[in-house]
Amino acid sequence: MRSVIDIQDLSPEELDRLMDRAEDIIAHPDDYAEACHRKKLATLFFEPSTRTRLSFEAAMYELGGNVITVAGADASSAAKGESVADTVKTVSLYADIIAMRHPKEGAARVAALNASVPVINAGDGGHLHPTQTLADLLTIRREKGGFSGLTVGLCGDLKFGRTVHSLISALSRYEGMRFVLISPEELKVPSYVKSEALKKKNIPYTQVQDLESVIGDLDILYMTRVQKERFFNEEDYLRLKDSYILTPEKLKKAKSDLCVMHPLPRVNEISVAVDQDPRACYFKQMLNGKFMREALILKLLNIAD
Ligand code: NCD
């Protein structure tokens, strides 16, 4: 029985297979319409979510399976003081697979250690978000044809942005990758991410504060929201929240085949006018997430490899 808590729980070969599977699902959805017949996915979201929860649920329905859920932290026994361990032991008795989001870093790992069915980490605090990375990888492969030799700019809240941590971890395994880390001083990538992913593998990276001076070098620009819910005081959030706003004007300096990504939700980081630009990939990215979650569910339930 396998869980996916960290993107490193999947080898590069397995990621390739998941992307191939997602492509096959996109091309032949009817072949998968009964694949998860009589299987149940439990979604346990102890933090707000729109895309991740609904795409997991849509994924399970498209595979012919069923979904059980609790409506949020306040509606579950967590509100009565139940531990994550006890909650997942219980849910394991009712469901074949669990997708869980929790505000505490490490909660998904605790869940996996206690569950008797596979657990998928749908975001643990400011730590990791491996299934967003699955969406990101398929988007990059579809837009760029592969992963080697890319210059990837990550911009915004690189400290608390869990999608960034998982994406750096995944992309560090490919050849010729270069990172440009664009953030205010206070929101730089945590040192554990740099030492485990970038420094260990000697991956070239630069850390800058200004987006416009580097935008022309990038093949991928991954914008992120300043993670309001992780701040200790509102003043800091208000000061930092609009550090970066991507506009059509700024995009004039970018490559014509730049791929602009964002895990969404956006607040102000990308002006709505950018949505019309052919380089805007974030809505495709969101759809790719559903197909990759289908592929992952099939894999963890041992229905497909
Ligand atoms: C992200 C998350 O929850 O970490 N959202 C998502 O799952 N697509 C990004 C964010 O909330 O900023």
Coordinates of all heavy atoms in Angstrom, one line a residue, residues 51-52 101 129 132 162-163 225 227 263-265, ligand 1:
R51 N -10.2 24.2 -6.1 CA -9.7 23.3 -7.2 C -9.3 21.9 -6.8 O -9.6 20.9 -7.4 CB -8.5 24.0 -7.9 CG -8.7 24.9 -8.9 CD -7.6 26.0 -9.0 NE -7.8 26.8 -7.8 CZ -8.5 27.9 -7.8 NH1 -9.2 28.3 -8.8 NH2 -8.7 28.6 -6.7
T52 N -8.5 21.9 -5.7 CA -7.9 20.6 -5.4 C -9.0 19.6 -5.0 O -9.1 18.5 -5.5 CB -6.9 20.8 -4.2 OG1 -5.9 21.7 -4.7 CG2 -6.1 19.5 -4.0
R101 N -6.1 17.4 3.1 CA -5.4 18.7 3.3 C -5.5 19.2 4.7 O -6.6 19.1 5.3 CB -6.1 19.8 2.4 CG -5.6 21.2 2.6 CD -6.0 22.2 1.6 NE -5.4 22.0 0.3 CZ -5.5 22.8 -0.7 NH1 -6.3 23.8 -0.6 NH2 -4.9 22.6 -1.8
H129 N 2.9 20.1 -1.6 CA 1.6 19.9 -2.3 C 1.9 19.1 -3.6 O 1.8 19.6 -4.7 CB 1.0 21.3 -2.6 CG -0.4 21.4 -3.1 ND1 -1.1 20.2 -3.4 CD2 -1.2 22.4 -3.3 CE1 -2.3 20.6 -3.8 NE2 -2.4 21.9 -3.7
Q132 N -0.4 19.2 -6.8 CA -0.3 20.4 -7.6 C 0.9 20.2 -8.6 O 0.8 20.6 -9.7 CB -0.2 21.6 -6.8 CG -0.1 22.9 -7.6 CD -1.3 23.2 -8.4 OE1 -2.4 23.1 -8.0 NE2 -1.1 23.5 -9.7
R162 N 3.6 26.2 -0.6 CA 3.9 24.8 -0.7 C 4.0 24.2 -2.1 O 4.8 23.3 -2.3 CB 2.9 24.0 0.1 CG 1.4 24.3 -0.3 CD 0.4 23.7 0.7 NE -0.9 24.1 0.4 CZ -1.9 24.0 1.2 NH1 -1.7 23.6 2.5 NH2 -3.2 24.4 0.9
T163 N 3.3 24.8 -3.0 CA 3.4 24.3 -4.4 C 4.8 24.5 -5.0 O 5.3 23.7 -5.7 CB 2.4 25.1 -5.3 OG1 2.7 26.4 -5.4 CG2 1.0 24.9 -4.8
R225 N 0.6 33.3 -5.1 CA -0.1 34.2 -4.1 C 0.7 34.3 -2.8 O 1.3 33.3 -2.4 CB -1.5 33.5 -3.9 CG -2.3 34.1 -2.8 CD -3.6 33.3 -2.7 NE -3.4 32.0 -2.1 CZ -3.5 31.8 -0.8 NH1 -3.9 32.8 0.1 NH2 -3.3 30.6 -0.3
Q227 N 0.8 34.0 0.8 CA -0.1 33.1 1.6 C -0.5 33.7 2.9 O 0.0 33.5 4.0 CB 0.7 31.8 1.9 CG 1.3 31.1 0.6 CD 0.2 30.3 -0.1 OE1 -0.3 29.3 0.4 NE2 -0.1 30.7 -1.3
P263 N -0.6 28.3 -9.5 CA -1.5 27.2 -9.0 C -2.9 27.6 -8.8 O -3.8 26.8 -8.6 CB -0.8 26.8 -7.7 CG 0.0 28.0 -7.3 CD 0.4 28.7 -8.6
L264 N -3.1 28.9 -8.7 CA -4.4 29.5 -8.4 C -4.8 29.1 -6.9 O -4.4 28.0 -6.5 CB -5.5 29.1 -9.4 CG -5.2 29.5 -10.9 CD1 -6.3 29.0 -11.8 CD2 -5.0 31.0 -11.0
P265 N -5.6 29.8 -6.2 CA -6.3 31.1 -6.6 C -5.3 32.3 -6.7 O -4.4 32.3 -6.0 CB -7.3 31.3 -5.4 CG -6.6 30.7 -4.2 CD -5.8 29.5 -4.8
Ligands
NCD1 C1 -2.5 26.3 -3.8 C2 -2.4 25.7 -2.3 O1 -3.5 25.4 -1.8 O2 -1.3 25.6 -1.8 N1 -3.8 26.1 -4.3 C3 -4.0 25.0 -5.0 O3 -4.1 23.9 -4.5 N2 -4.2 25.1 -6.3 C4 -1.9 27.6 -3.9 C5 -2.5 28.7 -3.0 O4 -3.4 28.5 -2.2 O5 -2.0 29.8 -3.1

